[in-house]
Amino acid sequence: MFQKQTNQARLLTVTLSLFCSALLALAQSAPLQLQVIGNGKVTGAANGQAIKIGSKVTLTAVPGPGQILSNWTDNAGHELSAKSPYLFTNQQGTFITATFVPNPWPAFKGDYSGLYLPDSQSPVTISNAGTIKVTITDKGAFTGQLQNRGTTIAISGAFNIRGEATVVVMRPGKPVLYVSLNIDPQDSVMRSITGSVSEPSWAAQALAMPKLATLATGNSASLVGNYTLSYAPSAALGYGAAIATIKSPNTVQLTGNLPDGSGVCDRRITQN
């Protein structure tokens, strides 16, 4: 009888210990509130899952067919991140929403090239002007390069759903170079990239246009027509103007005057 009571007491002690441990673990955990908007899913945790407070959690967005992650937001609608995976520290009352939207980037896939130059009030130098080239994928990621002081600088990144991207280039022994790029996801016809290239001591505006082969992948018929161009390479010479006529996706004719008053006329058939 004594042995039986002893065993029962031990069993009760173990049960109470496990129960207290479970209560303690529950008190140290908080349920994650996870919401998904649009066609996609999230892996790494589930809605309502009890997660230890203070622990690191990684969520991965898995878009549905033809979709892309827009962003992660909190319960007030503030953007937490536009990238996946998303890492956060779980706290009491953590609320996260993953939003998926139709992927706009297939229409922008291709090669872009252009220039960056300071405004007309600043002199053009080898430091604050050059060429820029960008290649965009059907997911909105990009790689590219720009020329600065006779050096080729590689850049890479990804546009968010608003068409914004920033690249910070660290160069040993040289100032930090900032590259800001913008493209309108709603403009699937012209698809120009604007933005800026800058160092702490200067800033230049950037413009890159898609090559004709890239434009031809979209609604190329809407590009046929006349376009007016102007430029001012120096205050001394003044402005020049020209008319560019796109006769087909592969034929461009340019007629006008350079800033020094000389005429220019050219007609090109190109594959690029």
Side-chain angles (χ1 to χ4, degrees), residues 29-64:
S29 300
L32 171 64
Q33 300 179 69
L34 181 61
Q35 181 182 23
V36 176
I37 297 177
N39 183 9
K41 64 180 182 179
V42 174
T43 63
N47 181 41
Q49 179 179 341
I51 301 174
K52 185 178 179 180
I53 294 176
S55 63
K56 303 291 185 181
V57 182
T58 299
L59 299 179
T60 301
V62 184

Side-chain angles (χ1 to χ4, degrees), residues 1-8:
M1 175 67 70
F2 178 76
Q3 182 66 35
K4 182 177 180 180
Q5 290 177 341
T6 300
N7 291 339
Q8 289 176 340

Side-chain angles (χ1 to χ4, degrees), residues 105 108 110 112 132-146 154-160 163-168 179-183 193:
W105 300 118
F108 296 84
Y112 298 71
I132 182 170
K133 297 180 180 180
V134 177
T135 298
I136 301 178
T137 72
D138 59 0
K139 299 296 184 183
F142 65 86
T143 57
Q145 62 183 37
L146 56 87
I155 58 174
S156 63
F159 291 100
N160 61 26
E164 305 164 339
T166 300
V167 180
V168 179
V179 181
S180 177
L181 301 177
N182 300 276
I183 190 168
I193 298 176

Side-chain angles (χ1 to χ4, degrees), residues 69-88:
L69 174 71
S70 173
N71 56 14
W72 307 90
T73 55
D74 61 17
N75 59 341
H78 299 142
E79 184 174 89
L80 301 171
S81 175
K83 298 180 179 180
S84 178
Y86 171 58
L87 175 66
F88 70 97

Side-chain angles (χ1 to χ4, degrees), residues 218-242:
N219 183 14
S220 58
S222 64
L223 302 176
V224 174
N226 296 323
Y227 299 83
T228 301
L229 311 176
S230 67
Y231 58 96
S234 72
L237 293 177
Y239 287 82

